[in-house]
Amino acid sequence: MQEGSVVREQRKLGPDVWCYRWWESGPGGNRVHRRIVLGTAEQLRDISSARQMTTGLMREINASEKTYQGYLRKWIVPRWGNYLLPNIKAVEVELWLKHLERAAGTCCKIRNVMSVLFNHARRYDLYDRNPIQWVRQSAKRRSSPDVLTSDEVRQLLPALGPRERIMVLLDVATGLRQSELFALKWKDVDFSNKQLWVTRSIVQQVVGHCKTEASQKPVPLHDHLISSLRSWNRRTPYRTPESWVFASPQNRGKKPYWGQQLLRHHIRPVVKKLGITKRIGWHTFRRTYSTLLRATGAELKVMQELMRHSTIRVTLDTYTQAVTTEKRAAQTAVVSLFVTNNKKRTAA
């Protein structure tokens, strides 16, 4: 577990800034130093104020380290734990990773953890080389990720239970990341102005910052989403402003549900029963939202703001800033694909 360091840095233009520095493992197993600006010296008057800003960030960073420990326990130790270091060959590791039924990104992280282990062995003179450096493993996807069609969304929503239905509806109609969806609190839902404030994320029950500054922009809420959230608020026993929107009763609402468990035990079985053969994850709903935005003819700048991407590289950010009415119109076009038609069918 690491705590990182907080330092004050001077700038040629503008006020000094407080920065937080830490390190993490790079692709080759080497240490890579990271840095994030916490705020200006005007906003954060002293180092104590700056350190308070790092609490959630430290939890998130150390949660990532727990993830790497999980790779060790689940994959690396069971397969290679009984091997002597000289007996671990690059070609064998490469073949093993190739046949693992896991995403390319996951295999790449497993490879990187193994490389870190060998580099530590070299550092302490336990071994003189790192065979993992010759293991070829790309983080690129082997195939295009699945997205749902509007018809499949219309099939799925009414087939789900009330709890999963509001989760999937909110996700597929706003493009929230899984970590953002389950980190929502009722105080983040602005019913009056019909928008959602995304101010935090949660990974493995550890609360931290959002992925980027752009992620914290307000998200418009369609009338159908407002109505569905009000219904869920009446149904759940946890409805104070500080309560999680999707609070789990297993710990008396102190923590939100585990998204992967709901996906595995409640959503995927319904998907399979409906005859939808695509592999579904929480990020599938975010990709579906992006795809449907594109299908409705939304401008790239509007898409960039609705998806809350941070840079021009992600959504080809080439247009001027979109106004709120345009964003609402684009979202309405997507929601109407699976909400309006559903109402018409019910009326019929």
Side-chain angles (χ1 to χ4, degrees):
M1 182 173 179
Q2 59 175 310
E3 296 183 359
S5 61
V6 176
V7 296
R8 180 168 174 162
E9 295 183 359
Q10 291 183 338
R11 284 187 169 179
K12 292 182 179 179
L13 298 175
D16 292 358
V17 293
W18 290 102
C19 297
Y20 178 65
R21 294 176 174 177
W22 74 98
W23 63 267
E24 58 188 40
S25 299
N30 56 314
R31 278 189 171 190
V32 178
H33 288 274
R34 302 297 186 191
R35 168 186 171 277
I36 188 172
V37 176
L38 300 172
T40 66
E42 295 173 351
Q43 297 168 327
L44 305 170
R45 296 294 183 183
D46 52 34
I47 193 169
S48 297
S49 302
R51 280 177 177 158
Q52 289 179 0
M53 297 287 292
T54 68
T55 304
L57 186 59
M58 281 193 289
R59 284 199 297 262
E60 190 171 353
I61 291 168
N62 288 308
S64 299
E65 292 185 1
K66 290 181 182 179
T67 301
Y68 292 132
Q69 292 173 9
Y71 292 141
L72 274 171
R73 289 194 303 268
K74 189 172 182 179
W75 302 107
I76 298 173
V77 172
R79 175 64 179 85
W80 304 101
N82 293 327
Y83 278 64
L84 295 174
L85 293 181
N87 294 336
I88 298 179
K89 307 298 183 183
V91 173
E92 290 186 44
V93 174
E94 189 172 305
L95 288 173
W96 170 63
L97 291 172
K98 185 178 180 180
H99 290 93
L100 275 184
E101 295 182 356
R102 287 295 177 269
T106 300
C107 291
C108 188
K109 290 172 183 175
I110 293 173
R111 174 211 174 274
N112 292 347
V113 173
M114 291 188 70
S115 184
V116 169
L117 294 176
F118 272 97
N119 280 345
H120 276 292
R122 292 177 65 189
R123 180 183 181 188
Y124 293 102
D125 294 326
L126 299 175
Y127 199 50
D128 60 356
R129 61 190 182 89
N130 181 357
I132 309 302
Q133 65 180 321
W134 307 113
V135 174
R136 297 170 297 183
Q137 175 59 54
S138 172
K140 293 182 180 179
R141 295 188 180 99
R142 293 165 186 155
S143 59
S144 299
D146 286 327
V147 296
L148 298 175
T149 65
S150 57
D151 284 338
E152 289 169 334
V153 176
R154 280 198 297 270
Q155 278 184 280
L156 178 60
L157 289 175
L160 294 170
R163 179 185 60 190
E164 290 75 30
R165 185 185 307 132
I166 178 60
M167 291 177 181
V168 172
L169 173 64
L170 190 59
D171 209 10
V172 80
T174 63
L176 289 178
R177 300 173 179 90
Q178 178 187 346
S179 59
E180 299 165 344
L181 178 70
F182 289 94
L184 290 175
K185 293 187 176 183
W186 284 114
K187 67 180 182 180
D188 303 324
V189 184
D190 187 345
F191 287 106
S192 300
N193 295 310
K194 299 180 182 179
Q195 62 185 14
L196 198 63
W197 291 98
V198 183
T199 61
R200 73 192 71 79
S201 66
I202 187 165
V203 179
Q204 295 186 348
Q205 301 295 345
V206 178
V207 180
H209 294 288
C210 293
K211 187 175 182 180
T212 64
E213 183 178 345
S215 300
Q216 300 180 43
K217 292 182 179 180
V219 177
L221 289 176
H222 185 274
D223 287 341
H224 184 75
L225 298 181
I226 291 289
S227 175
S228 298
L229 282 167
R230 288 191 186 279
S231 297
W232 177 249
N233 182 266
R234 290 191 294 267
R235 178 183 289 268
T236 179
Y238 311 106
R239 57 187 72 156
T240 66
E242 287 294 333
S243 296
W244 303 103
V245 173
F246 301 116
S248 172
Q250 290 186 349
N251 42 38
R252 299 179 181 179
K254 294 179 181 179
K255 293 285 185 180
Y257 286 102
W258 282 82
Q260 290 304 115
Q261 291 185 358
L262 295 176
L263 192 69
R264 186 179 304 114
H265 299 296
H266 299 279
I267 298 176
R268 282 178 180 159
V270 173
V271 170
K272 185 177 180 181
K273 187 176 180 181
L274 291 172
I276 299 174
T277 58
K278 298 171 180 176
R279 181 167 177 80
I280 302 299
W282 285 107
H283 211 70
T284 305
F285 304 124
R286 178 171 167 82
R287 285 193 294 264
T288 297
Y289 181 55
S290 175
T291 302
L292 293 179
L293 279 173
R294 190 162 62 248
T296 59
E299 291 187 359
L300 290 174
K301 180 61 184 181
V302 176
M303 288 180 58
Q304 184 261 335
E305 293 201 357
L306 284 171
M307 297 301 295
R308 294 167 297 114
H309 288 146
S310 61
T311 66
I312 190 172
R313 293 170 296 176
V314 183
T315 44
L316 301 178
D317 187 5
T318 56
Y319 296 94
T320 57
Q321 185 168 349
V323 295
T324 303
T325 53
E326 290 174 328
K327 288 192 283 187
R328 289 193 185 281
Q331 186 199 48
T332 297
V334 169
V335 176
S336 65
L337 290 174
F338 48 82
V339 171
T340 306
N341 291 343
N342 219 26
K343 290 183 177 179
K344 288 180 180 178
R345 292 184 180 184
T346 303

